[in-house]
Amino acid sequence: MIPQEFEYAAPATLQAALELLADPGARPLAGGMSLVPLMKLRLAAPEKLVDLRLISSLKSIRREGAFLHIGAMVTHYELESAPLIRQECPLLAAAAAAIGDVQIRNSGTIGGSVAHADPAADYPAALLALEARVQLTGPTGEREMTFEDFVLDTFTTALEPGELVTAIVVPIEAPGTGVHYQKHPQPASGFPMVGVAVRVRRENGLISFARVGVTGLSGKGYRARAVEERLIGGAASDVEIKEAASVVAAGVEASADIHASAVYRAQLARVATVRAIRASLPHAH
Amino acid sequence: MSTVTTETPTYVGKRIKRKEDPRMITGTATYLDDIKLPNMHFAAIVRSPYAAARVDRIDAAAALALPGVVAVFTGADLDDVGNVPCGVTLPGLRIPPHAILAQGRVYFAGHPVAVVVANDPYRARDAAELVEVDYTPQPGIADPEKALEPGAPAVHPEWPDNVAFVHKQENGDVDIAFAEAEVIVKQRMLQPRVVANPMEARGAIGDYRSAEGTLTLHSSTQIPHLLRSIAAAVLGVPEHKMRVIAPEVGGGFGCKADVYAEELLVCFLSRKLGKPVKWVEGRREHFQATSQGRGHVDYYELAAKKDGTILGIKLKIIQDIGSHQQLTTPLIPTLSVLMLPGLYRCKTFRAEVVGAFTNCFPTDAYRGAGRPEATYGIERIVDCLAVELAMDAAEIRLKNFIEPQEFPFATGTGLIYDSGNYAATLGIALDTVGYAALREEQRAARAAGRLMGIGIATYGEICGFGPSPYTPAGGWESATVRIEPSGQVTVHTGISPHGQGEETTFAQIAADELGVSMDDVVIVHGDTAIVQYGIGTFGSRGTAVGGTAMFLAIEELKKKIMKYGAMLLETEDVQWVAGRVVCNKTGASVTVAQIAAASYRALKLPPGSEPGLVATSFWEPANFTFPFGAHIVVTDVDPDTGDVKITRYVAVDDCGKIINPLIVAGQIHGGIAQGIGQALYEQMVYDENGQILSGEFTDYVMPKAANIPFIESHHTETPSPVNPLGVKGVGEAGAIGAPPAIVNSVVDALSHLGIRHLDMPLTPEKVWTAIQGSRA
Amino acid sequence: MKHPITVTVNGNKHTAEVEPRRLLIHFLRDTLFLTGPHSGCETSLCGACTVALDGLAVKSCAVFAVQCDGRDIVTIEGIANKGSLHSVQQCFWEEHGLQCGFCTPGMIMASRQLIERNPDPTDTEIRHALEGNLCRCTGYQHIVTAVRAAAALERK
């Protein structure tokens, strides 16, 4: 219930934060919605917390050509409610709106969530379907990679020591893209037991574009390329949707816990995929 | 017996907002953790991570070295304190000694092994993490049925069969009934452990003053006086030098009607250290070390005729006792036996309860305490019978109900049901839900491949605990009513409400009876130094027993008031009219306030009367009361995920006379929510050894607002003849009616697939797996 | 090492030295003696600790006091206006939206946030908005009624 002692700093600039994070015992503090509960359970005990809340450059949301550049410290509530996000990247807004509860969304940030790499977080399904990119800034400068490459394993990312997630980059959704995020929440914690995000487009009545991102099913989120391939070029009839969805969990080692066995979790993944595809189709043309 | 005498009540029966609320909605109520005493220190408990282990070594040196830490105690230090008590006597009952800190062995995950006291709660927690404990883990057992099998690990080495007690009861000739039966249905049913989880977990502050030898225990409790008597005995403090104060209590549901190691521990610590010591239960500790509910493995058999008449009932209950006996642990399943026949007239039964020790914290009272378990069982097995006979679920119940003219009705289990009209509540429920149309809709839904279910549960309840011979510590209740010189009224009640609203409902009753304004009545409870001995709040007894005690004290006062009124009006020809004594001839009158002033000033006293206007009543009920009702639940089951959606919930409940419909509705909604929790969401999960797997809100599923449907709540009012208020009690009814109504509904939704029974909680995976299995 | 912080709480400025690990809820309850926010769990799920931080409903058990330096906090004790109850408080009272009262401060703070953002919420929206607040007593029905009534009052 009570965290261990730690030192604290709240730098005003990104540069100052990076200098503080050069100390191997230092960890960044974003919204705290993942880190603080872990510290209270004493499962995490950083010696020093570097609070990022005063760094205004991390709070911006802006258009950059065909993309939206979202600062790491933007909160889930800001993403669910900002007109720019709701219009230009509705799938991200939907995933943000599905997170936790109102209080958590008011505090939690996209950068914090992405850096934490919880296998049962909501964003990964959407970020994979969006082919999002992650911007990292560290002592040696800035670099960028796909979200897919960024998350390596459960709670493990490509972050180097002293490096911060500074922005998430998502595409501005082309008109005529149907999107949907279908979540089956774990009834106690609210985390997705399974979450599936879908983006589809149609041309001449056939699926011309499909992206399917899955979270919660296993140790790390993934793009269900097998589902995408089966959808593309088809008419997306009920039978075709079910057939495409049937392979969403193929070859994936599904997690198991007291809330869902591996078998049931895989079933939820298939159902969520069907429902996400069905729900996104009406807006796909 | 006379009923409430006021002709046109101003308050009773009305929807009146509560007197409790202003402090709660402004955040100024004082709960246990809000209490700050001078020099108060803080206890943090070191608990065993193992469910069964030997404690080999405890080293507190690192903990003691932390600044602010004043002491660390272990089981070796308990020289002047006894064991956590069990208040139940049953033939052959095995009561393992239960010290307040482990004595060389631990028996459940979370068993307290050591306690740290520091001047700051953060430091206390830091120090607790530094206490080194070496354990030798042993095999443990969590499943009560498996615990009774030969070869299971012995929870207590002296009792290798893990039997805590055996209780048998029977009536009539069961063997003949079963031999003559035209149909017999059998079903094994699980009622897993659930955790009370009031939003305020437990907490206690011990404050011992050595110069006076007095001990004050602040505790988030439902039973302040009983706690005082018991704790005084265990601690060796003279009872008259001990005071228990229940502050604002944030929910209890039965788990705070108990006596716990930690309550005794803070007293022990305060006495040892000469400072007040506070312990506040963390939520994880609540899962580890607070008594839990249910924990049944039931084997039901029902014998019947082809026309649906029930001839006999056999029941074996394996009750998960846990590692020790808490205050009323073994009593609870015996209450299930009392309620075994439900609302049905069959008196022929044989029941056996076997209590099984397990390496989990003990079970004890939880909303309904034995009666939800019994109702669940009988309502499920009756539904199984209905399916077997292809008979309608409502029809089979109506066939077997006790009828209104049969009351008072002596059951085969030794109870006397006071009053009831079971067909009426079921009839209203059927009409409200539109039963015939629903069955039509179900036929169409089934044809279209939809899984729609209609579930009925009719329940009876033992409430208004109760006649003292049948309670462990007395079942009467007390009240002192003081009319002050100003005419304002103070009531000291021995009950101990924690959300039930008696500060309001008792004021309604008292104000009506005395013809005063509700604003002029205050209800005081919870402090043993102020309130005369009382029993407390549990078993839906607050208004039925406590309210009656207050009513009778007021009746006493009214007799005295009449004498004073006659004296002041100088005539015997007077009557009571709404707060005044009125001279019938002239219409001259005096108010209660004027009489009060006169009685305290005592310029003149009526012959044989004393000054003052104070009366105390201790009321012993001659019987329990028996609320009843019918719940109908309509569900939709998603065949692809197993998710259960409640599309309609109709509850018709009879709690006797309704004092405040707002409060009654709240009790029904809250009870139903806990019943929904038990049926669909909640279970305490241990691994096979007793390791806790669902020990926080991240894993134990508490119903949220979106999980509870809109409840259509209706009432009939069949007054209880047991008490002058006509009240039966309502605190537990919802939790009793909901689980069987919901499970019956879901089984009904799947019955055409050949599914006859599913165990609670009906998680989506369980339901989906059953559907898959039926299609295989 | 303690940190100096200055926080405005219910309109009053407070300066204090706090350990970085001191949670906001304990700072409010034990340093400022505002015991309205309650601790009901250890996993930031129950919401009994909900306060408003710069106008946003947050769980004060998951925030460090040091994160609140220079910021504005409102607790249940601060939402009435000069002795006049906030409409959410008033309606919880009228509609019996509480029994034991322990979840109530957090429930009211979350309800207040909902009405600020959604002046005419449906029952479904109300229940969804209260996902972060557990109640064990009421079964939520009277809470929903109270929030709907408060929203109507605020719209007047």
Side-chain angles (χ1 to χ4, degrees):
Chain A
M1 176 60 199
I2 309 294
Q4 279 171 251
E5 290 178 326
F6 57 89
E7 284 172 40
Y8 171 87
T13 66
L14 183 57
Q15 192 50 43
L18 291 171
E19 279 161 26
L20 289 164
L21 286 166
D23 176 347
R27 274 187 76 162
L29 173 63
M33 292 298 101
S34 300
L35 184 57
V36 176
L38 280 179
M39 291 174 68
K40 286 166 67 176
L41 292 170
R42 300 199 172 203
L43 296 171
E47 288 161 23
K48 178 186 239 155
L49 284 188
V50 179
D51 192 343
L52 305 176
R53 66 182 172 89
L54 296 177
I55 304 170
S56 48
S57 64
L58 295 178
K59 292 282 302 172
S60 63
I61 304 175
R62 58 177 196 272
R63 254 189 259 261
E64 272 185 3
F67 296 93
L68 293 174
H69 187 277
I70 299 163
M73 288 296 285
V74 172
T75 65
H76 313 319
Y77 173 65
E78 284 163 346
L79 287 175
E80 108 180 72
S81 59
L84 183 61
I85 304 288
R86 288 161 67 93
Q87 276 148 29
E88 313 284 20
C89 193
L91 185 59
L92 188 62
I99 295 172
D101 54 54
V102 169
Q103 294 93 323
I104 288 172
R105 294 196 291 278
N106 278 341
S107 293
T109 66
I110 185 167
S113 175
V114 163
H116 186 59
D118 191 323
D122 288 288
Y123 283 129
L127 294 176
L128 287 160
L130 288 164
E131 298 178 271
R133 301 182 67 78
V134 182
Q135 275 185 4
L136 312 172
T137 311
T140 52
E142 237 179 60
R143 61 191 183 115
E144 206 179 276
M145 64 177 70
T146 64
F147 174 80
E148 195 170 13
D149 289 339
F150 175 72
V151 179
L152 301 175
D153 205 340
T154 305
F155 299 115
T156 314
T157 69
L159 275 171
E160 294 291 326
E163 222 177 11
L164 273 179
V165 172
T166 43
I168 311 294
V169 180
V170 293
I172 291 174
E173 206 63 91
T177 310
V179 304
H180 189 78
Y181 177 54
Q182 184 75 19
K183 171 179 179 178
H184 286 280
Q186 195 261 66
S189 69
F191 282 81
M193 285 196 293
V194 151
V196 176
V198 167
R199 302 162 64 217
V200 285
R201 291 183 207 127
R202 263 199 279 233
E203 238 176 70
N204 305 320
L206 298 178
I207 302 291
S208 58
F209 172 90
R211 295 289 180 267
V212 180
V214 180
T215 188
L217 181 63
S218 62
K220 149 177 136 117
Y222 62 95
R223 248 182 74 185
R225 288 182 168 81
V227 177
E228 295 169 4
E229 281 153 24
R230 275 165 174 73
L231 281 176
I232 291 173
S237 67
D238 257 11
V239 169
E240 283 167 300
I241 292 173
K242 275 209 177 101
E243 200 277 321
S246 70
V247 298
V248 70
V252 175
E253 202 187 313
S255 310
D257 61 19
I258 63 169
H259 300 284
S261 67
V263 167
Y264 181 67
R265 214 176 280 261
Q267 167 67 8
L268 285 183
R270 289 187 291 271
V271 174
T273 305
V274 167
R275 293 181 184 178
I277 295 169
R278 279 208 194 119
S280 55
L281 279 174
H283 301 284
H285 17 263
Chain B
M1 205 168 199
S2 61
T3 53
V4 174
T5 54
T6 315
E7 291 223 354
T8 40
T10 309
Y11 299 111
V12 168
K14 302 278 168 59
R15 182 200 148 96
I16 292 181
K17 61 189 205 224
R18 295 194 323 168
K19 287 166 160 280
E20 290 89 336
D21 290 6
R23 61 188 191 257
M24 294 172 178
I25 59 179
T26 54
T28 53
T30 303
Y31 298 86
L32 192 290
D33 197 18
D34 302 334
I35 297 171
K36 294 168 168 53
L37 300 176
N39 199 27
M40 189 169 71
H41 280 54
F42 303 87
I45 297 177
V46 179
R47 296 183 181 275
S48 164
Y50 300 105
R54 214 178 52 217
V55 180
D56 297 320
R57 182 186 75 98
I58 304 175
D59 186 341
L64 285 163
L66 278 191
V69 175
V70 301
V72 179
F73 294 102
T74 72
D77 302 313
L78 306 173
D79 45 16
D80 57 354
V81 57
N83 288 338
V84 181
C86 175
V88 177
T89 44
L90 276 177
L93 180 65
R94 291 168 168 171
I95 303 181
H98 187 179
I100 65 175
L101 291 172
Q103 300 286 306
R105 284 186 63 127
V106 293
Y107 293 88
F108 58 92
H111 199 144
V113 165
V115 60
V116 172
V117 181
N119 63 2
D120 171 88
Y122 279 42
R123 294 211 188 101
R125 179 42 53 193
D126 287 341
E129 302 287 314
L130 292 177
V131 174
E132 288 171 28
V133 186
D134 289 343
Y135 299 92
T136 302
Q138 334 238 254
I141 182 86
D143 182 315
E145 195 166 23
K146 291 205 174 99
L148 295 174
E149 283 166 16
V155 176
H156 297 280
E158 63 267 43
W159 299 308
D161 59 5
N162 288 326
V163 172
F165 67 92
V166 177
H167 170 77
K168 295 187 188 188
Q169 208 181 331
E170 67 179 274
N171 189 61
D173 198 320
V174 172
D175 298 314
I176 289 186
F178 273 73
E180 290 177 351
E182 292 168 342
V183 60
I184 293 175
V185 284
K186 303 181 185 190
Q187 186 61 54
R188 176 183 183 269
M189 304 179 200
L190 279 183
Q191 302 193 52
R193 282 172 170 250
V194 290
V195 179
N197 276 323
M199 291 321 299
E200 185 208 20
R202 293 191 293 122
I205 302 170
D207 186 7
Y208 185 80
R209 305 298 172 99
S210 57
E212 298 138 358
T214 56
L215 173 62
T216 301
L217 170 59
H218 304 255
S219 182
S220 189
T221 181
Q222 299 172 229
I223 49 169
H225 290 92
L226 297 182
L227 176 58
R228 169 184 178 242
S229 301
I230 293 169
V234 172
L235 293 157
V237 172
E239 188 176 21
H240 66 300
K241 295 206 163 194
M242 178 150 187
R243 177 182 187 184
V244 171
I245 303 174
E248 199 81 65
V249 174
F253 311 110
C255 81
K256 292 178 180 175
D258 216 320
V259 177
Y260 287 97
E262 294 88 355
E263 290 167 310
L264 302 166
L265 186 60
V266 294
C267 296
F268 162 81
L269 293 170
S270 182
R271 186 163 61 185
K272 271 272 192 277
L273 299 172
K275 319 165 193 312
V277 178
K278 177 195 265 190
W279 170 77
V280 175
E281 183 181 56
R283 185 57 58 180
R284 170 175 294 193
E285 288 181 292
H286 185 78
F287 283 96
Q288 291 170 322
T290 291
S291 60
Q292 300 179 358
R294 316 301 182 240
H296 272 222
V297 182
D298 298 332
Y299 288 88
Y300 272 87
E301 293 181 37
L302 199 67
K305 292 183 4 193
K306 278 210 194 88
D307 70 357
T309 309
I310 299 168
L311 297 174
I313 307 165
K314 285 189 205 169
L315 170 59
K316 174 162 176 186
I317 299 173
I318 298 173
Q319 170 70 52
D320 182 345
I321 290 294
S323 60
H324 297 84
Q325 308 279 9
Q326 284 282 133
L327 192 65
T328 51
T329 297
L331 174 70
I332 311 305
T334 67
L335 300 177
S336 299
V337 175
L338 290 182
M339 211 58 226
L340 175 158
L343 304 182
Y344 309 115
R345 93 167 44 83
C346 173
K347 299 196 192 198
T348 305
F349 79 96
R350 175 182 300 137
E352 182 190 20
V353 181
V354 180
F357 286 121
T358 58
N359 286 107
C360 308
F361 196 82
T363 53
D364 207 327
Y366 170 61
R367 202 159 194 170
R371 290 98 74 211
E373 294 89 317
T375 302
Y376 178 74
I378 190 66
E379 288 302 288
R380 274 269 61 236
I381 199 72
V382 164
D383 248 35
C384 290
L385 179 65
V387 166
E388 186 69 22
L389 295 174
M391 223 174 133
D392 178 79
E395 225 190 290
I396 202 166
R397 285 168 168 86
L398 287 163
K399 186 159 191 73
N400 286 284
F401 276 162
I402 301 159
E403 292 185 3
Q405 68 274 11
E406 295 180 78
F407 291 94
F409 182 86
T411 71
T413 58
L415 297 173
I416 301 181
Y417 291 171
D418 58 358
S419 63
N421 190 339
Y422 305 146
T425 47
L426 180 56
I428 293 170
L430 293 167
D431 279 342
T432 305
V433 87
Y435 188 66
L438 274 180
R439 285 289 178 201
E440 271 305 312
E441 191 189 327
Q442 184 181 43
R443 272 185 276 279
R446 237 165 228 184
R450 250 180 67 215
L451 303 173
M452 171 185 163
I454 306 162
I456 297 174
T458 54
Y459 72 88
E461 234 289 56
I462 312 170
C463 284
F465 275 78
S468 296
Y470 307 108
T471 59
W476 46 267
E477 199 40 86
S478 70
T480 296
V481 179
R482 286 184 350 202
I483 303 180
E484 313 287 3
S486 62
Q488 283 152 339
V489 183
T490 308
V491 176
H492 293 168
T493 175
I495 63 158
S496 203
H498 41 282
Q500 294 90 340
E502 275 90 352
E503 287 173 36
T504 306
T505 51
F506 279 20
Q508 290 173 256
I509 296 168
D512 271 356
E513 286 306 300
L514 290 168
V516 300
S517 161
M518 252 184 89
D519 291 338
D520 286 338
V521 181
V522 68
I523 311 295
V524 175
H525 57 89
D527 186 332
T528 64
I530 296 174
V531 177
Q532 71 291 333
Y533 208 96
I535 301 294
T537 291
F538 53 88
S540 302
R541 68 194 303 274
T543 308
V545 192
T548 298
M550 178 186 70
F551 176 83
L552 294 173
I554 292 174
E555 294 294 277
E556 268 311 296
L557 284 177
K558 277 164 89 169
K559 289 187 198 147
K560 198 167 179 182
I561 287 169
M562 295 301 285
K563 287 198 184 137
Y564 268 90
M567 177 190 81
L568 291 171
L569 293 168
E570 296 174 339
T571 170
E572 289 302 312
D573 185 19
V574 292
Q575 66 170 302
W576 169 266
V577 179
R580 290 168 173 272
V581 180
V582 181
C583 168
N584 287 323
K585 199 149 144 210
T586 65
S589 67
V590 279
T591 62
V592 168
Q594 287 168 316
I595 289 169
S599 80
Y600 284 95
R601 182 63 185 84
L603 282 176
K604 195 172 158 202
L605 300 176
S609 283
E610 298 168 349
L613 276 182
V614 180
T616 298
S617 167
F618 281 69
W619 185 62
E620 166 74 14
N623 193 3
F624 300 96
T625 56
F626 296 90
F628 57 96
H631 290 196
I632 301 185
V633 174
V634 184
T635 51
D636 236 15
V637 178
D638 184 329
D640 295 322
T641 62
D643 279 301
V644 173
K645 183 166 180 213
I646 297 175
T647 55
R648 272 192 86 181
Y649 198 115
V650 171
V652 183
D653 299 287
D654 194 315
C655 60
K657 173 113 188 93
I658 292 175
I659 307 297
N660 186 328
L662 205 48
I663 289 180
V664 163
Q667 291 301 309
I668 294 291
H669 299 159
I672 287 174
Q674 282 182 305
I676 290 172
Q678 188 185 349
L680 296 179
Y681 299 111
E682 298 179 44
Q683 79 178 309
M684 183 60 189
V685 183
Y686 297 91
D687 75 7
E688 61 208 2
N689 293 307
Q691 285 302 103
I692 293 174
L693 299 179
S694 62
E696 295 271 14
F697 285 160
T698 41
D699 282 307
Y700 184 90
V701 186
M702 294 280 285
K704 300 174 187 158
N707 300 128
I708 306 296
F710 179 78
I711 296 159
E712 300 167 54
S713 173
H714 303 267
H715 294 274
T716 55
E717 275 183 90
T718 307
S720 170
V722 171
N723 61 68
L725 300 175
V727 162
K728 284 182 184 266
V730 72
E732 292 157 299
I736 295 174
I742 294 166
V743 177
N744 282 347
S745 188
V746 173
V747 171
D748 182 62
L750 307 177
S751 61
H752 63 298
L753 303 174
I755 290 166
R756 290 289 166 262
H757 179 73
L758 286 173
D759 280 321
M760 301 187 284
L762 300 178
T763 61
E765 174 159 6
K766 186 180 291 182
V767 174
W768 177 77
T769 305
I771 296 170
Q772 296 304 105
S774 75
R775 288 173 173 167
Chain C
M1 219 202 92
K2 293 205 176 183
H3 272 252
I5 60 169
T6 302
V7 287
T8 305
V9 183
N10 297 333
N12 300 313
K13 212 168 203 170
H14 298 273
T15 304
E17 300 253 321
V18 296
E19 266 190 294
R21 67 171 173 163
R22 178 124 337 234
L23 295 166
L24 177 61
I25 187 175
H26 296 139
F27 175 72
L28 293 169
R29 288 176 52 80
D30 301 327
T31 307
L32 299 186
F33 303 112
L34 293 165
T35 56
H38 296 141
S39 177
C41 77
E42 290 151 324
T43 46
S44 305
L45 272 171
C46 82
C49 64
T50 303
V51 300
L53 177 61
D54 291 340
L56 296 169
V58 301
K59 293 181 178 179
S60 62
C61 72
V63 177
F64 296 116
V66 286
Q67 290 174 277
C68 302
D69 184 28
R71 298 169 82 175
D72 186 280
I73 295 167
V74 177
T75 71
I76 184 72
E77 291 95 331
I79 66 167
N81 188 359
K82 293 181 182 39
S84 189
L85 292 176
H86 188 281
S87 49
V88 177
Q89 290 170 303
Q90 185 65 37
C91 291
F92 266 65
W93 191 10
E94 302 277 351
E95 300 296 336
H96 189 39
L98 61 149
Q99 291 178 24
C100 83
F102 196 77
C103 78
T104 303
M107 194 69 76
I108 288 177
M109 296 305 290
S111 302
R112 189 180 84 128
Q113 175 95 106
L114 166 65
I115 293 173
E116 283 165 352
R117 290 177 174 174
N118 183 349
D120 193 3
T122 63
D123 283 7
T124 306
E125 287 169 335
I126 294 170
R127 289 177 185 270
H128 180 61
L130 296 178
E131 258 164 10
N133 292 80
L134 293 178
C135 174
R136 198 50 157 165
C137 291
T138 65
Y140 303 101
Q141 189 145 319
H142 285 155
I143 291 175
V144 172
T145 311
V147 174
R148 220 181 325 116
L153 257 189
E154 286 288 310
R155 287 198 301 275
K156 284 217 180 94

